[in-house]
Amino acid sequence: MAVGIFDSGLGGLTVLDAAASALPDVDFVYLGDNAHAPYGVRDADDIFNLTTKAVERLWDEGCDLVILACNTASAAALKRMQERWLPTDKRVLGVFVPLIEALTERQWGDNSPPREVDVKHVALFATPATVASRAFQRELAFRAIGVDVEAQACGGVVDAIEDGDMILAEALVNSHVDALKRKMPDPQAAILGCTHYPLMQDEFQKALGHDVKVYSQADLVSASLGDYLKRHPNMIGSGTQSKFLTTGDPVQVSQRATQFLRRKITFEAA
Ligand code: DGL
């Protein structure tokens, strides 16, 4: 009964944590490609090649369903994987759609035509590759009409978090929020479109002001995963053990993960 969760590094742990508390009977195998993080500055082919390799590694652990808990991989590689690469007995799901369904006040999996929604001015904070892909705007356009999206590519934030330099991460968050506000002074909602950013959620909220609704993915993705598994129970794979795998240095990655999640996490080499 195992599901795979993949991220370029530590950010997907925010999704893993929410999913593991919401679905205590499911084992989760987490794979962080820390050796190649950040993905957000790589080109689409590179991201596709790294992501498919990581997903294959999770299949070896008995995970037929893999969540790409990485917006950059979801934006730059998921469509190509689903259209041209994925075998019919496997599934890979991304993290964008649950977020957009929540923003556009839809039930999980509601694919009815686009309609007007309450929120009109949305700030998107994401990696340079996610912003360049315009995947968020494309998925939003399938579901909502008349929403103005201003995207801010948040260079450096993922590197600072992966290095455990939270002072630099906070300074970068403040400067990216300032840059966004120069383009869109009064966003109604802000999307944290990178799974690393919930680790800086308080800083984003403080810089944006408390009247801006900040959407982050962990709880939304885990709720949508629970709904998906109810509808597709056969996609829970044969794996029987939760574990944490990394392509990086397991000792260093375990220390950072333990610091972020405030509980002991032990990574093994992938
Ligand atoms: N957590 C990944 C995401 O959601 C980080 C991207 C990166 O490695 O740059 O986009």
Side-chain angles (χ1 to χ4, degrees), residues 28-184:
F28 289 97
V29 182
Y30 185 87
L31 173 56
D33 190 9
N34 302 75
H36 301 107
Y39 279 17
V41 289
R42 294 176 180 274
D43 68 30
D45 280 344
D46 209 6
I47 295 168
F48 176 84
N49 292 333
L50 290 169
T51 304
T52 48
K53 201 163 160 218
V55 169
E56 283 170 344
R57 178 68 187 84
L58 286 166
W59 292 344
D60 296 342
E61 295 291 330
C63 301
D64 294 340
L65 168 65
V66 175
I67 308 299
L68 299 188
C70 175
N71 292 268
T72 308
S74 302
L78 180 60
K79 202 160 176 280
R80 181 166 160 198
M81 289 165 78
Q82 289 174 330
E83 285 173 1
R84 280 178 270 158
W85 177 80
L86 200 62
T88 51
D89 59 338
K90 310 280 190 225
R91 293 285 179 283
V92 178
L93 301 176
V95 281
F96 265 30
V97 168
L99 185 75
I100 291 170
E101 286 176 340
L103 182 75
T104 55
E105 300 148 26
R106 284 172 181 253
Q107 300 296 318
W108 304 131
D110 169 1
N111 285 325
S112 57
R115 53 179 182 254
E116 292 241 4
V117 292
D118 276 351
V119 62
K120 301 283 181 229
H121 303 287
V122 177
L124 168 68
F125 296 95
T127 66
T130 299
V131 169
S133 75
R134 297 190 59 82
F136 178 85
Q137 289 88 331
R138 187 184 65 227
E139 290 295 335
L140 185 67
F142 289 135
R143 295 170 179 82
I145 299 166
V147 183
D148 178 21
V149 177
E150 193 62 66
Q152 176 66 29
C154 297
V157 177
V158 169
D159 309 64
I161 293 173
E162 288 284 316
D163 291 344
D165 189 343
M166 305 316 267
I167 295 175
L168 175 60
E170 181 172 356
L172 288 167
V173 165
N174 287 332
S175 98
H176 289 305
V177 169
D178 281 350
L180 183 284
K181 282 186 158 181
R182 284 196 289 277
K183 299 178 279 182
M184 179 184 269

Side-chain angles (χ1 to χ4, degrees), residues 216-237:
S216 85
Q217 287 163 320
D219 291 336
L220 298 171
V221 171
S222 103
S224 135
L225 172 62
D227 178 71
Y228 182 87
L229 290 176
K230 253 189 237 144
R231 288 182 287 119
H232 305 275
N234 58 320
M235 286 319 298
I236 300 185

